[in-house]
Amino acid sequence: MQKVFDDVHALDKRCVDKFGLSEELLMEHAAASMMQYIRGKFSNNEKILIVCGAGNNGADGIALARLLYSQYDVSILVPYHVKSAMAKLQYKRANLLGVNIIDTLSVLSLEHGPDVIVDCLFGSGLNRDLDDESQRLLTRLNSRCGHKIACDIPSGINKQGQVTTVGFCADITITMGALKTQLYSDVAKDYTGNIIVSDLGVHRSIYETATNTFLLDSADIKLPLRIKQNSHKGSFGHLSVIVGNKTGAGIIAAEAAFAFGAGLVTVITEQEVNVPYHIMQTSILPENCTAVAIGMGLGHDRKAQVKQILNRDIAKVVDADLFHNDVILTVLNSENVVLTPHPKEFCSLLKRTKLAEITVVELQNNRFKYVRLFAVNYPQTVLLLKGANSLITYNNIIYINPLGSNALSKGGTGDVLTGLIAALLAQGYSAVNATITASLAHCMSATNYPKNNYSLTPMDVIEGVKVL
Ligand SMILES: NC(=O)C1=CN([C@@H]2O[C@H](COP(=O)(O)OP(=O)(O)OC[C@H]3O[C@@H](n4cnc5c(N)ncnc54)[C@H](OP(=O)(O)O)[C@@H]3O)[C@@H](O)[C@H]2O)[C@@H](O)CC1
Ligand SMILES: Nc1ncnc2c1ncn2[C@@H]1O[C@H](COP(=O)(O)OP(=O)(O)O)[C@@H](O)[C@H]1O
Ligand SMILES: [K+]
């Protein structure tokens, strides 16, 4: 798990004030880390274009040009007059050294385009929408071949992680000092490429302070591996999955839960349904049930039974149709509840809780803001907001799961996730630990799928979970 910060200016300042570093020293480390990356990947004399803006993001790029000069065929494109003191200083040094400085992209030959393009146009200082010239420039850079590196933040991604017009599409983002939340909006995922962090003169563990946002990785998974041999099916919980109108949703969840270690799985259904032989079915909640999954394909009937189930003091995952029903309000202040809405369902939840009345577009533009709003009001409820980067919150902490992929954009994969979380709840995991591990397992299964990114089915996700 890595720390993530909304803003690192305070961390930069702390390095200067507390450890006696200077802005220039931080910048030299930023440039050196990009140099190291390029040296590790490209042989001498490769053609490198560094596009530099007027502020300190541009200054990082100009310093990089100085470091690479003579080993590589370096050009810097400086489309605006350099403005910040550091950019002016770095520009003067590059000039004295004889670095090739150009002010328009058309000077470069199209046939022999650069092998590497480094985007140092705008970083954390992007404070307004891009003008036409910057949009044109980024569009042209995106259309060129070559390995694309973004310095700190791909240009065009603003503080909220939005790309209002054009953004630089990087293969890799080398971000300075620490990870930033804006790099983990759903939109940003199509621009950042891989993200790595550069140290800025002190080790990252010293640079970073406390935070309430964390980036999950595959090492954070805690699989339900069984330890004791002296066990029986009852040792691993009994999950009840409420099956509604769309019976497939509940059955997929039940199958996923069985594959993820639940000892017993029963579907609760009014009419008999076709389920695999190992899944039981009945019309009322079994007495010994240790967790419930409810909402997937439920429809809007059975209100009395739903209310009764939600009021039972059992760990639960609540999904899908229930976000469109005020009955959801009854579970919001309880412990051991996990909510798994997709963006449209989360908008409905926000409306029902009277926290906000917003569109899906507004939510997707501000995912962190609204997840935090929910977290502040319902700190003991676990929320997983689905998306390209799913966000999990509990106790005012946000965990980002960046491991998902577009292969998961299929009907029924969310039902698998609900089943996985429920399986762990049934086996005694805390709500937040169940959600983190299940969410990681869901994404890792999709990543390990060996075929392509269009053919994954919910059953493939379940098969993948079996071999993690
Ligand atoms: N602080 C430190 O110690 C360290 C900082 N570091 C580096 O500094 C970067 C932050 O630098 P920064 O604050 O100078 O901002 P930056 O991203 O260069 O942009 C500001 C410039 O862009 C302009 N501008 C903005 N929006 C625009 C638009 N839409 N269209 C056109 N212009 C626009 C804006 O114009 P102005 O508002 O002045 O008119 C200003 O000129 C950070 O990302 C990291 O790379 C590292 O070296 C480590 C140490
Ligand atoms: N582009 C994507 N990148 C990462 N994860 C995705 C992507 N598209 C969908 N997912 C994941 O797939 C699941 C889809 O769930 P959902 O929309 O509820 O589907 P359903 O209700 O049909 O089962 C969620 O866990 C979501 O995070
Ligand atoms: K940049």
Side-chain angles (χ1 to χ4, degrees), residues 68-317:
L68 296 175
Y69 181 72
S70 107
Q71 185 181 3
Y72 294 94
D73 177 0
V74 186
S75 300
I76 54 176
L77 169 63
V78 188
Y80 312 114
H81 289 298
V82 285
K83 212 164 172 183
S84 75
M86 287 304 295
K88 285 180 180 159
L89 178 66
Q90 300 292 6
Y91 188 91
K92 187 175 156 201
R93 288 173 178 163
N95 219 351
L96 288 172
L97 197 60
V99 174
N100 182 33
I101 304 176
I102 56 176
D103 58 7
T104 160
L105 199 53
S106 48
V107 174
L108 289 179
S109 131
L110 277 174
E111 286 139 55
H112 306 289
D115 303 296
V116 182
I117 299 175
V118 190
D119 157 40
C120 304
L121 199 55
F122 307 115
S124 57
L126 185 73
N127 55 16
R128 54 190 186 272
D129 282 351
L130 298 178
D131 57 20
D132 291 348
E133 192 184 342
S134 312
Q135 289 180 42
R136 266 197 304 275
L137 175 58
L138 289 176
T139 306
R140 290 188 66 192
L141 293 174
N142 285 341
S143 72
R144 292 211 162 196
C145 298
H147 187 74
K148 299 196 177 75
I149 303 170
C151 169
D152 199 19
I153 298 158
S155 295
I157 299 185
N158 68 17
K159 286 209 161 51
Q160 289 72 40
Q162 305 156 355
V163 176
T164 54
T165 51
V166 185
F168 183 74
C169 290
D171 295 301
I172 183 159
T173 296
I174 302 177
T175 201
M176 303 311 165
L179 296 172
K180 289 116 196 155
T181 45
Q182 72 210 93
L183 297 172
Y184 294 98
S185 69
D186 276 12
V187 168
K189 200 159 177 171
D190 280 318
Y191 294 88
T192 58
N194 287 337
I195 300 171
I196 58 173
V197 178
S198 150
D199 281 349
L200 294 182
V202 289
H203 190 266
R204 194 170 156 197
S205 60
I206 296 169
Y207 176 84
E208 293 175 338
T209 54
T211 183
N212 57 8
T213 310
F214 295 89
L215 183 75
L216 298 171
D217 57 55
S218 54
D220 296 314
I221 198 166
K222 304 267 183 312
L223 291 171
L225 297 170
R226 298 174 172 193
I227 296 156
K228 283 191 177 161
Q229 290 300 339
N230 179 17
S231 67
H232 56 87
K233 61 196 172 213
S235 315
F236 303 105
H238 185 171
L239 173 69
S240 293
V241 179
I242 318 303
V243 169
N245 295 348
K246 292 183 188 143
T247 53
I251 297 169
I252 289 172
E255 191 61 356
F258 209 81
F260 214 32
L264 294 164
V265 178
T266 299
V267 296
I268 312 300
T269 169
E270 283 181 319
Q271 288 143 10
E272 198 168 317
V273 288
N274 281 329
V275 281
Y277 296 127
H278 47 272
I279 308 281
M280 299 175 288
Q281 58 182 301
T282 172
S283 62
I284 52 162
L285 219 55
E287 268 313 308
N288 65 351
C289 126
T290 56
V292 172
I294 185 166
M296 321 72 69
L298 187 65
H300 300 285
D301 307 330
R302 296 160 75 185
K303 288 209 168 85
Q305 190 191 20
V306 167
K307 198 162 187 179
Q308 197 192 4
I309 292 170
L310 290 180
N311 283 328
R312 287 274 297 267
D313 184 22
I314 307 173
K316 18 185 124 53
V317 190

Side-chain angles (χ1 to χ4, degrees), residues 11-23 26:
L11 304 186
D12 287 337
K13 191 170 176 313
R14 179 171 160 270
C15 272
V16 173
D17 296 346
K18 192 165 175 187
F19 307 124
L21 306 187
S22 64
E23 197 182 22
L26 299 185

